Amino acid sequence: MSEKKNVTRREFLKGMAVAGAMAATAGTLVSCQQAMPTGPLPEKWDEEADVVVIGSGFAGLAAAIEAKNAGATVKVLEKMELPGGNSIINGGQVAAAGSPEQAKEGIDDSVELMMQDMLRAGLYLNHPELARKVAEKSNEVVQWTINYLGVKYSDRLTHLGGHSVPRSYSTHNASGSAIVTQQLAKLKELGVEVETRRLLTRLIRDEDGRVKGVEIRDGYTPPDPNSGTIKYVKAKKAVVLATGGFGRDIRFRTVQDPRLNEEVDCTNHPGATAEGLLAALGVGATPVQLSWIQLGPWASPDEKGFGVGPYFAAGAAFPHGVMVDPATGKRFVNELADRKVRADAILKIGHPAIGIADAEGAKHSLFALDKLVEQGVVKKFDTLEDLAAAYNIPFDALKDTIDNYNSYVEKGEDEEFGKYLREDAKPLVTPPFYAIRLWPKVHHCMGGVQINTQAQVIGLDGQPITGLYAAGEVTGGVHGACRLGSCAVTDCLVFGRIAGQNAAKEAPWG
Amino acid sequence: MLKILTKVREAFLRGWRGCKGFVSRKGVGFTIVTGLFALLVLANGAYALWEASYHPGFCSLCHIIRPYVDSYYTSHHTDNIHYQAHVVCKDCHVVGPGEALQEVWSYVTGNYDNPLPEKRVSKETCLHCHRSYEALAQDTAHLERNPHAGHWPEMECNLCHKAHRPSVDYCGQCHASGHTIQP
């Protein structure tokens, strides 16, 4: 009693100040924790490594190679039964600005031009510093694949839609497998084997804010979410998230873009689902532009998945031929515009478009042409009349379209849509003529977790999440609203390498 | 598990104490002879059982396994092809005596899943008879896309070839390869 009475006014005020400060601190703590969802560490870690990489596509393997070369112990966890993710079925095209191949072909290009192309296609929604990093490192990373990994490319650069100039290398087998298998071989040489059938179920973020490991299902049988047994893998330095996109995750992609329901086909492998992204969001990673999901305009409704049709459409019909609306017989878009412009244009006409090339142009569909004709995905016609009749195209209109296009080729300028015409472009005159039906399919998720140029994942408080890196399609911001073809492989390799290098530099926590 | 082991240990010790009481000094010789004889009978029985277990009929004694043995005799799957080639259950389901005892124990205690979780026979087991991947690639070289010479030369056989159910075209998940997998 007496003590209470003896509290002086000054002491009372002091007390109030302390209480106020404590309340303020508590407030900060609360808001901090809201931005930092954490969970308890497991009682026991089953395994450990300095750097734990989740996913074994371009980005994950690049990260693993760099981390290992920097002296870290590395584990690569892959949920599927075989390594490679979507990368191993990718088209194998890699954009590089200012490459020796361009110099050889006399093509004038620069980092600035590549970045501007990426931003223009991305509707300037790109995080410019990330797009710049990809463009800056593009040539270096392609040379790394050649000199360090031993990847073989075909001689001629490809000109893909939305790029101002031809700048895309194509692997010798027109598949990302040419890169992935070299990455896997290099990793094996370094003593790291991809551990398959191990599904990431949770990232473990400690109360101090650091990501310290992962919860996985070991012995996972895709796609059964309850298969396998729970294990905990400690990441002494960092976790690198390289889990790819969610194009085949119909539930999640429909949440982001309700038009992309189960009736829309997808070019991805069955493992392209959202759980890696969700695990990152679960520990407070910042989501970026998740609803920008790219449709491929070169996809054929006459085969499933990515198929083989795109080799004809993107390799032959678009650069060396025309795409017409069968209802009018007219071109309706620049065949080399970015994917969003083309896919939106096809969707707008409301029915499959027809891509056309003549015998000269069709030579650029690599090895695929005979196969495509045999499967009926591409059809072959002796005359334009036959072609028009097969697709119910008004012949006179089609003939006008092609005559006009041929005159543009002669002038070296597409007066209608401004399509880039190569110096060796040829008019569409040589039979037989080839045609393909085109209807877009889900292809790439531009959105994902926020990263900075060091590949650190950014939390909801705007600060990097210690111990968590990400690279590749699981990240967002590099490509804005629309990714240019062949920029994904560059993105994955550039940021994969950065993530691996930086993850290995982290101070171990225990 | 520990509980069960403790119980087994207790039972064993109880029995042992009982035996010790039964064996009087006078009857030592008799007990040894009887004991040896009993052991011989037991060992012989175990051996006979082990031999018998190589016959698929033995496996089908168990109601959980019977459907797989029926399939082995009559199906259009890989299992029946193996039956025709005189390959028995235990050639693929390689188990040692320890594992076999454990399975019996699981059965007795009811500690099992029905249907059983799918076993993934390793490619080493397959290649024990099927030579090598290179040889298989030669066998299928006439196919337009050679499934045994793809991106992954070390692919597990079981990804495509299922024993007790129709095989699947693993490659066809991504490629429109149109392989019809031989059963």
Side-chain angles (χ1 to χ4, degrees):
Chain A
M1 276 294 254
S2 64
E3 270 178 16
K4 213 175 190 179
K5 269 185 183 167
N6 286 341
V7 175
T8 63
R9 185 170 173 270
R10 174 179 291 195
E11 275 166 342
F12 176 77
L13 285 178
K14 247 163 75 182
M16 285 299 283
V18 171
M22 277 172 69
T25 317
T28 326
L29 280 176
V30 167
S31 67
C32 227
Q33 264 169 3
Q34 279 169 346
M36 192 170 44
T38 58
L41 297 186
E43 280 178 19
K44 178 179 146 285
W45 296 100
D46 297 295
E47 296 163 29
E48 65 169 47
D50 291 336
V51 176
V52 177
V53 179
I54 316 294
S56 65
F58 295 129
L61 296 174
I65 290 170
E66 291 297 333
K68 182 69 186 173
N69 277 334
T73 56
V74 177
K75 267 184 177 293
V76 184
L77 311 182
E78 167 59 54
K79 69 174 174 177
M80 299 305 280
E81 286 155 310
L82 292 169
N86 211 62
S87 303
I88 206 158
I89 61 161
N90 150 293
Q93 288 173 317
V94 199
S99 70
E101 277 301 318
Q102 286 181 320
K104 222 194 279 174
E105 293 187 36
I107 297 162
D108 203 14
D109 195 12
S110 67
V111 167
E112 198 58 36
L113 185 61
M114 176 166 165
M115 181 184 159
Q116 285 308 324
D117 285 348
M118 290 173 74
L119 296 188
R120 194 173 54 244
L123 302 180
Y124 298 91
L125 292 179
N126 320 53
H127 292 197
E129 72 284 2
L130 300 180
R132 175 172 292 282
K133 183 65 95 181
V134 169
E136 265 173 13
K137 296 255 177 194
S138 60
N139 183 46
E140 178 193 318
V141 91
V142 173
Q143 301 314 316
W144 177 74
T145 65
I146 296 169
N147 300 324
Y148 181 70
L149 297 178
V151 175
K152 295 197 166 48
Y153 293 97
S154 59
D155 290 340
R156 194 181 149 97
L157 292 173
T158 310
H159 189 188
L160 293 171
H163 291 273
S164 296
V165 292
R167 63 162 71 97
S168 307
Y169 281 72
S170 301
T171 56
H172 69 93
N173 64 352
S175 162
S177 63
I179 300 171
V180 172
T181 48
Q182 292 299 100
Q183 286 182 298
L184 288 169
K186 181 59 77 178
L187 212 49
K188 198 169 180 179
E189 202 180 296
L190 294 171
V192 180
E193 297 253 9
V194 175
E195 299 166 29
T196 53
R197 299 181 64 208
R198 307 194 94 185
L199 171 78
L200 170 73
T201 48
R202 194 160 63 87
L203 289 163
I204 298 168
R205 191 177 184 191
D206 200 0
E207 280 165 9
D208 62 7
R210 180 169 187 153
V211 168
K212 295 188 170 171
V214 293
E215 180 193 271
I216 61 167
R217 275 191 176 268
D218 178 44
Y220 169 65
T221 300
D224 176 5
N226 299 317
S227 56
T229 50
I230 296 284
K231 287 224 163 105
Y232 297 96
V233 183
K234 175 175 165 181
K236 286 197 286 183
K237 291 184 170 180
V239 172
V240 177
L241 195 68
T243 50
F246 54 85
R248 282 283 285 267
D249 196 321
I250 293 168
R251 183 196 76 82
F252 194 70
R253 83 178 190 212
T254 314
V255 170
Q256 306 307 328
D257 183 342
R259 298 170 303 170
L260 305 181
N261 58 23
E262 66 282 352
E263 287 178 20
V264 182
D265 199 359
C266 177
T267 64
N268 295 179
H269 82 132
T273 49
E275 72 285 330
L277 172 64
L278 295 178
L281 299 183
V283 294
T286 304
V288 179
Q289 301 161 350
L290 296 184
S291 57
W292 286 106
I293 298 170
Q294 179 173 80
L295 302 171
W298 23 244
S300 161
D302 299 320
E303 60 182 349
K304 74 168 192 182
F306 187 82
V308 195
Y311 289 107
F312 170 78
F318 291 164
H320 302 285
V322 293
M323 171 163 67
V324 302
D325 175 354
T328 63
K330 291 186 170 141
R331 291 170 72 206
F332 57 95
V333 69
N334 172 357
E335 292 88 347
L336 287 181
D338 67 60
R339 288 171 175 168
K340 182 171 169 49
V341 168
R342 287 178 291 174
D344 285 351
I346 300 172
L347 292 175
K348 198 174 159 202
I349 66 171
H351 46 249
I354 310 295
I356 301 170
D358 70 351
E360 282 296 323
K363 283 180 186 162
H364 298 281
S365 34
L366 302 169
F367 52 86
L369 192 61
D370 294 343
K371 178 94 194 159
L372 282 166
V373 172
E374 187 193 314
Q375 288 175 346
V377 176
V378 167
K379 290 196 162 65
K380 186 174 165 182
F381 304 94
D382 292 333
T383 64
L384 277 177
E385 282 93 333
D386 292 348
L387 189 152
Y391 297 104
N392 284 325
I393 307 174
F395 174 66
D396 293 341
L398 179 65
K399 181 140 190 351
D400 282 350
T401 299
I402 291 188
D403 288 345
N404 288 339
Y405 179 76
N406 290 345
S407 73
Y408 305 149
V409 170
E410 261 163 45
K411 287 180 211 154
E413 191 193 343
D414 174 8
E415 289 170 1
E416 266 177 285
F417 294 101
K419 181 165 94 169
Y420 179 97
L421 297 165
R422 273 188 151 147
E423 277 186 17
D424 57 359
K426 293 190 174 78
L428 281 173
V429 289
T430 317
F433 297 93
Y434 296 88
I436 187 170
R437 298 201 316 143
L438 299 164
W439 189 247
K441 294 179 186 176
V442 170
H443 185 57
H444 184 94
C445 300
M446 270 73 65
V449 297
Q450 186 191 356
I451 56 166
N452 60 18
T453 54
Q454 296 307 305
Q456 292 173 294
V457 175
I458 307 300
L460 293 172
D461 56 1
Q463 298 304 312
I465 298 175
T466 313
L468 184 61
Y469 291 82
E473 199 179 342
V474 74
T475 69
V478 177
H479 306 286
C482 173
R483 174 179 71 76
L484 287 181
S486 76
C487 282
V489 186
T490 315
D491 168 23
C492 290
L493 293 172
V494 165
F495 277 111
R497 292 186 71 197
I498 292 173
Q501 288 159 0
N502 289 337
K505 277 188 214 149
E506 290 276 353
W509 60 270
Chain B
M1 190 64 195
L2 202 67
K3 241 179 175 173
I4 295 167
L5 283 177
T6 321
K7 275 189 177 165
V8 169
R9 186 171 161 271
E10 277 168 10
F12 180 76
L13 288 177
R14 264 201 310 278
W16 177 240
R17 275 185 227 113
C19 281
K20 271 197 342 200
F22 176 75
V23 180
S24 66
R25 278 189 181 281
K26 283 176 203 163
V28 166
F30 172 76
T31 313
I32 287 173
V33 171
T34 327
L36 277 176
F37 181 71
L39 247 159
L40 205 69
V41 170
L42 264 175
N44 189 41
Y47 176 74
L49 211 61
W50 187 248
E51 278 296 297
S53 75
Y54 278 90
H55 192 280
F58 180 87
C59 305
S60 71
L61 289 175
C62 169
H63 73 282
I64 325 158
I65 296 183
R66 192 177 307 137
Y68 303 103
V69 180
D70 290 348
S71 167
Y72 168 78
Y73 284 125
T74 60
S75 81
H76 298 293
H77 310 322
T78 309
D79 50 3
N80 185 256
I81 300 283
H82 284 80
Y83 162 61
Q84 291 175 36
H86 309 291
V87 178
V88 298
C89 308
K90 284 182 71 175
D91 288 332
C92 300
H93 295 269
V94 184
V95 283
E99 224 176 311
L101 275 175
Q102 211 169 23
E103 280 174 13
V104 170
W105 182 253
S106 297
Y107 183 76
V108 170
T109 55
N111 184 21
Y112 57 83
D113 295 322
N114 190 10
L116 291 164
E118 189 168 70
K119 181 181 170 67
R120 288 172 178 250
V121 175
S122 74
K123 69 171 185 297
E124 287 72 24
T125 305
C126 304
L127 293 179
H128 191 69
C129 300
H130 291 276
R131 302 160 297 162
S132 66
Y133 241 101
E134 294 75 43
L136 289 168
Q138 276 177 21
D139 291 350
T140 51
H142 63 285
L143 293 175
E144 195 179 343
R145 284 163 191 251
N146 192 340
H148 299 117
H151 315 301
W152 296 281
E154 301 296 305
M155 218 167 127
E156 285 290 332
C157 312
N158 64 48
L159 294 181
C160 295
H161 301 278
K162 308 294 181 186
H164 302 295
R165 61 184 173 97
S167 290
V168 297
D169 178 7
Y170 189 86
C171 307
Q173 291 183 93
C174 295
H175 300 288
S177 55
H179 283 136
T180 312
I181 308 301
Q182 294 303 314

